[in-house]
Amino acid sequence: MRKIKICGLFRDCDIDYVNEARPDFIGFVFAKSRRQVSVVWAEAMRPRLKSEITPVGVFVNESLEKVAKLLNDNTIEMAQLHGDENENYIRELKTLTNKPIIKAVRVLSEEDIVSGQHTVADFLLLDNGAGGTGESFDWSLVSQVKNQEQNQKPFFLAGGLMADNLEQAILATSPYAVDLSSGVETDGLKDRAKILEIVRRMHNG
Ligand SMILES: O=C(O)c1ccccc1N[C@@H]1O[C@H](COP(=O)(O)O)[C@@H](O)[C@H]1O
């Protein structure tokens, strides 16, 4: 079964929506964004989240100490690094925590995907850019490199995914998981019906 992450929860009711839909992962954005949440809010929401849903913290060039603390106090179970974090940063983070790390890669060319394979992070996240933009990248770049044995790190596919293009995106890239934020919003707010429908589709085939 393909996994699904619903990212950018920032209202209390968003927690109710995902508890009803039960995606595999959800994302709390700690980076500067219109979806940014505070540590205090995430800590308050964490116990309300159904146990089978894995919370991911999304960071952009954040201090190692802040990311490690949120992981080690179990506010989040995975860290998604969406900025310019280099391999030294990721290696250092791995000395501070045992929890999985996702490194976001901005895909402009095949080379971006190929060089991403060398990361010590546990997963890649292929996106079109800054994150949360609602814009896709050229998915054919993934299929062009995916058949090569060295390009097998499991990856989340992100960027502009929505009900209308999800099937095509999966067929083109065969990701470990899909990651949606803008595509399950209406007027900038998470939409219960869109979340329920997309998670149902992913989990039922
Ligand atoms: O969602 C944000 O505001 C955000 C801010 C900073 C870094 C990453 C962010 N979100 C990530 O972007 C993709 C989804 O984007 P889209 O809106 O579906 O196109 C996903 O990986 C989010 O974690």
Side-chain angles (χ1 to χ4, degrees):
M1 192 170 64
R2 192 91 48 193
K3 293 184 187 293
I4 180 164
K5 170 166 168 266
I6 301 293
C7 201
L9 311 185
F10 62 88
R11 296 178 301 166
D12 293 16
C13 65
D14 296 341
I15 304 295
D16 300 328
Y17 299 165
V18 293
N19 279 339
E20 192 179 350
R22 301 186 188 208
D24 304 280
F25 307 93
I26 60 95
F28 294 139
V29 178
F30 293 97
K32 277 208 172 24
S33 160
R34 64 178 183 79
R35 304 181 181 99
Q36 184 179 32
V37 300
S38 67
V39 168
V40 170
W41 185 84
E43 285 172 347
M45 291 302 119
R46 175 66 172 104
R48 290 192 48 217
L49 202 59
K50 292 260 188 233
S51 59
E52 65 264 40
I53 304 173
T54 301
V56 179
V58 180
F59 303 94
V60 173
N61 304 333
E62 188 51 83
S63 73
L64 282 163
E65 292 69 26
K66 180 171 175 178
V67 179
K69 182 174 185 309
L70 284 162
L71 287 163
N72 292 336
D73 70 12
N74 303 318
T75 304
I76 54 174
E77 296 300 325
M78 298 172 82
Q80 174 180 326
L81 308 176
H82 221 101
D84 306 314
E85 301 86 359
N86 60 21
E87 287 300 294
N88 286 340
Y89 178 105
I90 301 171
R91 266 192 217 99
E92 183 81 9
L93 184 56
K94 278 189 162 287
T95 68
L96 300 174
T97 181
N98 291 324
K99 294 206 171 153
I101 297 169
I102 306 168
K103 179 66 187 108
V105 170
R106 179 179 191 184
V107 181
L108 297 174
S109 69
E110 287 174 36
E111 184 46 37
D112 296 322
I113 305 170
V114 172
S115 55
Q117 305 296 319
H118 304 301
T119 181
V120 294
D122 302 276
F123 297 90
L124 290 178
L125 184 147
L126 306 182
D127 194 0
N128 89 314
T133 60
E135 305 283 332
S136 305
F137 66 92
D138 177 1
W139 301 321
S140 71
L141 295 171
V142 180
S143 53
Q144 286 165 36
V145 297
K146 204 144 185 242
N147 293 334
Q148 300 158 22
E149 206 169 308
Q150 68 273 26
N151 299 324
Q152 300 294 339
K153 194 164 273 265
F155 68 92
F156 289 69
L157 182 71
L161 299 177
M162 61 183 88
D164 287 350
N165 64 10
L166 196 61
E167 201 176 328
Q168 196 197 340
I170 290 169
L171 276 175
T173 63
S174 196
Y176 164 76
V178 291
D179 185 354
L180 293 87
S181 187
S182 309
V184 287
E185 290 177 344
T186 299
D187 298 331
L189 299 174
K190 288 290 176 285
D191 182 315
R192 172 181 170 274
K194 287 183 182 174
I195 293 172
L196 286 173
E197 170 58 16
I198 212 107
V199 175
R200 187 193 62 75
R201 271 173 53 180
M202 287 305 301
H203 284 169
N204 293 348

